Amino acid sequence: KIFLTGSIMFIDLQEGSNKILRLSIAIVASVLYQSILLTFNPYKRKDNFYLASLTNFLLICCFSLGIILKSCDEENNFVTDVGLCSIFIGMSLDAYKASILVVTLMLG
């Protein structure tokens, strides 16, 4: 988790917060950590293991939903009707509709 917060910030310092690259690398690092967690089971108590797995899964979900928000942003869509949102997600959404979709996915 220190790797996620520390080293991800050093990727593309000028335009990193405006691109999907940081989110993609964070998802890859989280999935790698989740697979290590599931393989080696470093906790003695099962409830600590379940809590760590659940929080890491929710972190992966948040990063994935962040990619939805970034790809459906108006700045990332092309001049034509076919933008990143409709290519990757399959729906043509603006920023408001994408935010509503993300909130509904997080709540339910």
Side-chain angles (χ1 to χ4, degrees):
K1 297 193 179 188
I2 293 174
F3 173 77
L4 273 176
T5 57
S7 62
I8 299 295
M9 294 302 295
F10 291 115
I11 298 172
D12 196 9
L13 292 175
Q14 281 87 24
E15 295 290 324
S17 61
N18 296 331
K19 301 205 178 182
I20 300 178
L21 178 66
R22 280 188 185 174
L23 288 170
S24 305
I25 293 174
I27 286 177
V28 169
S30 295
V31 168
L32 181 67
Y33 175 72
Q34 181 74 17
S35 63
I36 290 171
L37 188 70
L38 291 174
T39 303
F40 295 113
N41 196 1
Y43 299 104
K44 290 182 181 179
R45 294 177 47 189
K46 285 290 185 187
D47 55 347
N48 288 338
F49 173 71
Y50 294 145
L51 183 64
S53 296
L54 178 68
T55 56
N56 198 36
F57 176 73
L58 290 175
L59 190 63
I60 293 170
C61 289
C62 287
F63 288 143
S64 302
L65 295 174
I67 287 180
I68 291 175
L69 285 177
K70 280 301 222 186
S71 63
C72 292
D73 193 15
E74 287 93 6
E75 296 173 356
N76 291 330
N77 286 330
F78 303 122
V79 176
T80 61
D81 289 338
V82 180
L84 285 176
C85 189
S86 61
I87 290 172
F88 292 121
I89 297 165
M91 294 184 286
S92 180
L93 301 172
D94 58 350
Y96 177 74
K97 290 179 184 175
S99 299
I100 295 296
L101 175 70
V102 166
V103 168
T104 357
L105 288 174
M106 286 298 285
L107 292 178

